[in-house]
Amino acid sequence: MSDDPEPAENISGGSAGGGYADTFDADAPATRAEAVVDRLGDLYWQKSYGGRDAFECLVRTILSQNTSDVASQPAHDALMDRYGGGPDLATALAGADQPELAETISSAGLYNQKSERIIDIAERIVAEYGGEDEFDAFVREDDPETVRDTLLDMTGVGPKTADCVLLFAGGRDGVFPVDTHVHRIARRIGLAPPDADHETVREHLERDVPGGKCGFGHTAMIQFGREYCSARRPDCLDDPEACPMADLCDQVGVDPRAGDVTDPAEAGVADD
């Protein structure tokens, strides 16, 4: 779509990220998690995702690990400028010189580790699938659990990275990737137990949010974390009514009266 409200620095890449505007019923949410996602959709965007090249999406997500999208986007652009001109990106990266690749992606941080991972994964994809087109077909068409397990078996690919590939490339409904923002916000609002790890948060969100809403729930929740619900000083700390999610939030770990913010896990375990 030409007028995409999603910022380009988000992992999905705004209008260039393969997503498209969509409309979802928000009249009668069945769970509080769905109500939260509906509110996020009203605040930011309602989109469906899918259509990105699976291998490039995998590389892009690896580059984003342990850094911001603002830092990793230039690394992705530099990588594509240097290696993306041929017929197959996986083949090009499988044969890349590691120090040269590390220098190319240096803005993303941890560039030696990430360059080694990218080359290892590229070599595996070329060996097992033949190239990026065949890998892309696997991600889009195979059983999603099989795809997820295969991705998790790759060097340096964790649950969030695997789920981003399933969502942004595979276009799979019911996939709610959990990054640091989603992990914090879901527990702070009370959508998952305060002491839940990333996988437990994912299980709660994918259970309680309709499949088609999981994609924009993920990206919009990240934006909400950046604008309102930061780790150290959420807006509700100064003014409980300043947050558009105030009436849906348990404020786990946030004490406006004392001016304190702690990780939800340190605030005690609430009823699930």
Side-chain angles (χ1 to χ4, degrees):
M1 62 196 204
S2 58
D3 184 19
D4 191 335
E6 183 179 358
E9 64 265 23
N10 268 3
I11 189 67
S12 59
S15 59
Y20 55 92
D22 211 342
T23 302
F24 297 89
D25 181 17
D27 290 338
T31 64
R32 187 152 65 101
E34 183 178 4
V36 167
V37 168
D38 287 344
R39 183 78 57 82
L40 291 170
D42 289 339
L43 185 64
Y44 294 114
W45 50 75
Q46 289 189 2
K47 297 177 68 174
S48 290
Y49 292 99
R52 296 191 68 176
D53 176 81
F55 177 67
E56 183 183 348
C57 183
L58 177 55
V59 169
R60 173 71 179 84
T61 311
I62 290 170
L63 291 174
S64 75
Q65 293 172 349
N66 302 111
T67 192
S68 68
D69 290 336
V70 173
S72 63
Q73 186 64 50
H76 169 264
D77 294 343
L79 181 149
M80 294 303 296
D81 286 344
R82 175 164 282 179
Y83 300 100
D88 190 274
L89 180 62
T91 300
L93 287 171
D97 176 70
Q98 187 271 327
E100 180 182 80
L101 177 57
E103 182 274 329
T104 303
I105 64 172
S106 59
S107 66
L110 299 175
Y111 46 86
N112 282 318
Q113 182 182 78
K114 290 178 181 179
S115 59
E116 291 172 356
R117 288 176 175 177
I118 289 169
I119 291 171
D120 285 347
I121 290 171
E123 290 175 343
R124 175 170 174 175
I125 285 172
V126 171
E128 295 186 8
Y129 300 95
E132 62 177 336
D133 288 346
E134 294 83 359
F135 177 67
D136 191 65
F138 166 70
V139 169
R140 295 177 195 277
E141 299 169 9
D142 223 86
D143 174 74
E145 285 302 318
T146 300
V147 175
R148 192 173 195 266
D149 289 344
T150 299
L151 290 167
L152 290 173
D153 190 50
M154 293 181 176
T155 305
V157 175
K160 178 237 177 178
T161 298
D163 290 337
C164 282
V165 174
L166 279 167
L167 175 62
F168 298 122
R172 304 303 184 105
D173 282 351
V175 177
F176 204 123
V178 176
D179 73 338
T180 55
H181 289 289
V182 174
H183 184 239
R184 174 181 73 253
I185 292 165
R187 294 178 301 131
R188 184 177 280 174
I189 289 177
L191 305 182
D195 59 349
D197 61 14
H198 282 64
E199 280 291 270
T200 302
V201 168
R202 179 182 70 85
E203 290 168 2
H204 277 71
L205 292 173
E206 291 182 358
R207 180 195 70 192
D208 294 339
V209 177
K213 296 181 178 182
C214 285
F216 78 83
H218 163 72
T219 56
M221 192 174 287
I222 291 172
Q223 192 67 19
F224 173 72
R226 291 170 174 161
E227 293 188 5
Y228 292 97
C229 200
S230 64
R232 296 183 179 180
R233 196 158 192 88
D235 283 12
C236 64
L237 194 65
D238 298 318
D239 178 6
E241 300 304 317
C243 175
M245 219 63 66
D247 61 317
L248 293 170
C249 183
D250 288 345
Q251 289 186 297
V252 180
V254 180
D255 187 347
R257 290 173 298 178
D260 292 334
V261 179
T262 62
D263 185 277
E266 299 173 11
V269 179
D271 291 338
D272 182 11

